[in-house]
Amino acid sequence: MKILHTSDWHLGRTLHKVDLHEHQAAFLDWLVDLVEAEGVDVVVIPGDVYDRAVPAVSSVTLLDRALARLADTGATVVLTSGNHDSPERLGFGRSLMRAGIHLLTDLPGIEHPVSVEDEHGEVLFFGLPYLEPDRARTELAREGEEPLPRSHEAVTRAALDRVRERAAARPGARTVVLAHTFVTGGEASDSERDLSVGGVDSVPAGVLGGIDYLALGHLHGCQDLTRSVGAPAWYSGSPLAFSFSERSHRKSVLLVELGAPGAEGERAEVAVRRIETPVPRRLTELRGTLEEILARRDEHAGDWLKAVVTDPARPAHLQEQLREAYPHLLLTEYAPEGRAASAGTPVVRREQNPLEVMDEFLAHVTGGDPTEAEHDVLERAYSAVRRQQEAS
């Protein structure tokens, strides 16, 4: 069976105020073509389909169109909700969905896997939506028992215990689990929302074993956690970069080939192939003096750019010069070399000399004491204002 694993689309996301809608639409067009070209049997999407709980109409329309086109290829689509999605809104209307599209967005759905047959028999697809501990600890507790401990580990362990019970009742069936969670050992980036509960944001890898293939969502970098989990377990990662911390990622989807059931007590053979997604525009970070950064415009003028400017004195018209050379500039930082960062905002005392206050402010902004030339400029400005006030 061929399974296409993709996640964390974050439809509706922006990148430093740049609307990514057209790039997300282009990715989905590419994805549909890939599913058709590869003869994919099942597409699994473990969460964060939308970027927010109440998505824009344009994002809802984009998802609706993508799911319809995926179903038209003949593939079965299995989708769960992530921590960015509202499970109620994402799952609305699932009973009316066309054949081949399955939205597993609530906890009772854990008990009801999607069954897909191939030449080797049955494959059960279980969907674990994002399990918010404060809510799931009560819903996943056994009847008559106290709520589970308030942790990601406790609710995930309980959910997977139910999965294994259901799977054991169908001998010979292979199991694929979609789970939106942060597994210990995974590498995070700046663009994922924090999941911490009681200071702990992750689930120990050992909790997740015993599955033929674990399709993970939440982390935006493609990564293989098979060794730590003890069973085939991958994050497909997001198809687009959502922060400069992801600029070195090779964005991918995963083509998973699930073989015949193993002998008793053994898992099916699994082969995973990474397929890189289209890159609409490179993310680049350039660090150096303004002159050094501008000198690289021929190489990076078409990139989304973060510029870290290190001149000892802040260059005049910094943004204007950068914007002229780099039309896709997204972020500028001024980090003068040799100047330590200020520990906090200076406190202004009533009795202070105004020139002293101005020097302290400049030091706070630039990270170093004003030079003699800078102090002279401030002194001349202050003197001019004083003369104007005295003359009026």
Side-chain angles (χ1 to χ4, degrees):
M1 180 176 291
K2 283 189 176 182
I3 302 167
L4 195 289
H5 172 192
T6 175
S7 72
D8 294 88
W9 294 353
H10 288 277
L11 300 181
R13 185 96 177 210
T14 60
L15 178 65
H16 293 283
K17 300 183 180 179
V18 172
D19 188 352
L20 296 176
H21 180 86
E22 67 174 290
H23 303 302
Q24 292 173 324
F27 159 71
L28 292 173
D29 288 342
W30 173 87
L31 183 71
V32 171
D33 290 343
L34 176 68
V35 167
E36 193 161 30
E38 292 285 351
V40 170
D41 300 299
V42 183
V43 178
V44 295
I45 312 164
D48 279 355
V49 178
Y50 294 129
D51 189 57
R52 50 184 175 169
V54 184
V57 172
S58 58
S59 299
V60 175
T61 302
L62 187 58
L63 177 62
D64 179 69
R65 178 171 174 268
L67 293 180
R69 292 177 64 203
L70 286 170
D72 286 342
T73 68
T76 298
V77 181
V78 183
L79 181 154
T80 61
S81 53
N83 58 298
H84 280 251
D85 302 308
S86 163
E88 292 81 11
R89 288 185 174 88
L90 183 61
F92 175 76
R94 60 180 173 266
S95 62
L96 304 177
M97 277 286 178
R98 60 191 295 170
I101 298 177
H102 304 270
L103 306 184
L104 307 181
T105 60
D106 59 10
L107 283 174
I110 295 172
E111 308 275 2
H112 305 285
V114 175
S115 175
V116 182
E117 297 272 348
D118 69 2
E119 65 270 27
H120 301 298
E122 185 179 37
V123 181
L124 302 176
F125 291 83
F126 292 88
L128 270 61
Y130 170 63
L131 302 173
E132 171 59 52
D134 285 331
R135 177 176 176 177
R137 63 194 292 257
T138 300
E139 295 185 49
L140 286 171
R142 300 290 184 180
E143 188 174 348
E145 295 183 359
E146 293 293 315
L148 301 169
R150 182 175 176 265
S151 70
H152 290 288
E153 177 180 356
V155 296
T156 303
R157 187 184 296 277
L160 283 169
D161 283 346
R162 295 194 182 190
V163 166
R164 295 184 186 102
E165 287 174 9
R166 288 290 176 181
R170 319 255 289 254
R174 289 153 290 164
T175 54
V176 174
V177 173
L178 291 68
H180 192 91
T181 189
F182 185 177
V183 180
T184 301
E187 184 176 339
S189 61
D190 292 344
S191 58
E192 295 120 6
R193 185 177 293 168
D194 181 37
L195 302 181
S196 295
V197 173
V200 178
D201 61 359
S202 61
V203 175
V207 171
L208 303 164
I211 307 297
D212 287 298
Y213 180 73
L214 188 67
L216 296 169
H218 178 61
L219 299 184
H220 291 173
C222 182
Q223 46 201 296
D224 179 7
L225 296 188
T226 299
R227 181 172 296 180
S228 57
V229 170
W234 283 75
Y235 283 102
S236 67
S238 61
L240 300 175
F242 299 126
S243 72
F244 279 94
S245 66
E246 300 174 42
R247 64 187 183 275
S248 62
H249 287 183
R250 289 168 49 219
K251 295 301 184 180
S252 311
V253 297
L254 301 173
L255 187 61
V256 182
E257 295 200 36
L258 185 65
E264 187 174 349
E266 296 182 3
R267 294 186 301 272
E269 288 190 11
V270 174
V272 179
R273 174 160 61 99
R274 291 180 62 167
I275 302 174
E276 294 191 24
T277 59
V279 178
R281 196 180 300 282
R282 288 188 305 177
L283 266 70
T284 299
E285 179 177 320
L286 297 180
R287 183 183 186 93
T289 65
L290 178 60
E291 182 180 1
E292 291 169 341
I293 291 174
L294 293 178
R296 303 183 66 181
R297 72 184 77 187
D298 290 344
E299 183 184 358
H300 296 292
D303 298 355
W304 278 319
L305 183 71
K306 175 182 178 180
V308 183
V309 181
T310 61
D311 295 74
R314 185 183 182 91
H317 309 295
L318 175 59
Q319 283 292 103
E320 291 86 346
Q321 293 189 71
L322 286 171
R323 184 72 65 188
E324 183 178 356
Y326 298 100
H328 304 289
L329 176 73
L330 297 185
L331 194 60
T332 304
E333 287 184 9
Y334 177 52
E337 289 186 347
R339 294 187 174 187
S342 176
T345 305
V347 177
V348 178
R349 302 183 303 278
R350 183 183 296 274
E351 65 275 12
Q352 273 185 287
N353 183 308
L355 273 173
E356 182 184 351
V357 174
M358 294 163 74
D359 281 345
E360 284 187 356
F361 174 75
L362 186 60
H364 173 69
V365 170
T366 64
D369 293 333
T371 64
E372 186 175 342
E374 290 170 337
H375 179 80
D376 288 345
V377 170
L378 293 175
E379 188 170 16
R380 288 197 302 273
Y382 173 65
S383 298
V385 172
R386 285 293 303 271
R387 286 195 300 270
Q388 188 177 14
Q389 288 178 336
E390 291 169 358
S392 61

